[in-house]
Amino acid sequence: MTAPLPPARPTFTYPEVGATRLGPLPEGYHHLHHSARIGRGRAAFDAAGTALTTWRAHRRTGARVRASSPWAAPGALVVVSLGAGPLRLRAPCEVVWTAYEKDRTGFGYGTLPGHPETGEESFVVDLREDGSVWFTVMAFSRPGCWYTRLAGPVVPVLQKAYARALARTLRRIAATARPS
């Protein structure tokens, strides 16, 4: 008798896996690019990068996050959900790439089956030469189900609002960082 096969790992719902790491973003999708200055100095950068890659920034915006890893790591499965009760939207993703570098920290994740959109989104904190700390969200997406197709132009507006909420959250986190 043979052992049963493990459940199949979900596959990405789009072919351009990893495109948010270096670009260019693929054609045929809505593109989002949002950058905001969130602080100054190494301590602000470290605090924001840690909050971003441990899911704390997402959680502090009000999103629920279930992840297979306590930090962003390639292959980590993540389900971000927003809303309440029967209106809660679940968005399953998998981390595609990470950056844990001296002056750059972040990750990109891609959509899995069951996500309302199809595409990829990246979240990166950079410490620039002038000491300023910047947060950037870059994404490409298109509707992945009937209700996001029906919502039409509202979805990109909501995505931009979420990117701004993350920037505000990281700005507050960076502001409380103490130089070491």
Side-chain angles (χ1 to χ4, degrees):
M1 186 164 151
T2 61
L5 293 173
R9 185 169 180 89
T11 58
F12 293 104
T13 58
Y14 63 102
E16 302 91 351
V17 175
T20 59
R21 184 173 185 113
L22 300 172
L25 298 182
E27 293 183 27
Y29 295 86
H30 172 264
H31 293 173
L32 169 67
H33 189 270
H34 177 73
S35 288
R37 186 175 184 271
I38 59 167
R40 182 163 196 75
R42 174 70 54 192
F45 167 77
D46 290 342
T50 298
L52 184 63
T53 57
T54 60
W55 320 115
R56 194 172 95 213
H58 283 70
R59 287 184 176 113
R60 290 197 44 193
T61 65
R64 285 189 189 168
V65 178
R66 287 192 354 250
S68 65
S69 174
W71 61 87
L77 300 178
V78 183
V79 178
V80 178
S81 60
L82 296 165
L87 299 179
R88 181 166 289 283
L89 293 177
R90 294 173 20 99
C93 300
E94 181 177 330
V95 176
V96 175
W97 61 267
T98 58
Y100 291 99
E101 301 164 11
K102 179 179 177 240
D103 296 331
R104 184 172 189 254
T105 300
F107 66 95
Y109 58 31
T111 58
L112 297 174
H115 195 294
E117 289 282 295
T118 297
E120 191 172 293
E121 191 166 22
S122 66
F123 309 90
V124 176
V125 176
D126 288 296
L127 176 61
R128 299 201 178 158
E129 286 185 20
D130 67 359
S132 63
V133 180
W134 287 79
F135 170 62
T136 302
V137 176
M138 192 165 38
F140 61 93
S141 64
R142 59 181 168 220
C145 63
W146 67 269
Y147 55 86
T148 50
R149 279 190 291 282
L150 186 64
V154 172
V155 173
V157 171
L158 295 174
Q159 289 171 326
K160 181 86 166 189
Y162 187 65
R164 287 181 174 153
L166 279 168
R168 284 190 304 275
T169 297
L170 288 170
R171 191 174 293 116
R172 285 191 297 271
I173 290 168
T176 63
R178 305 230 166 136
S180 44

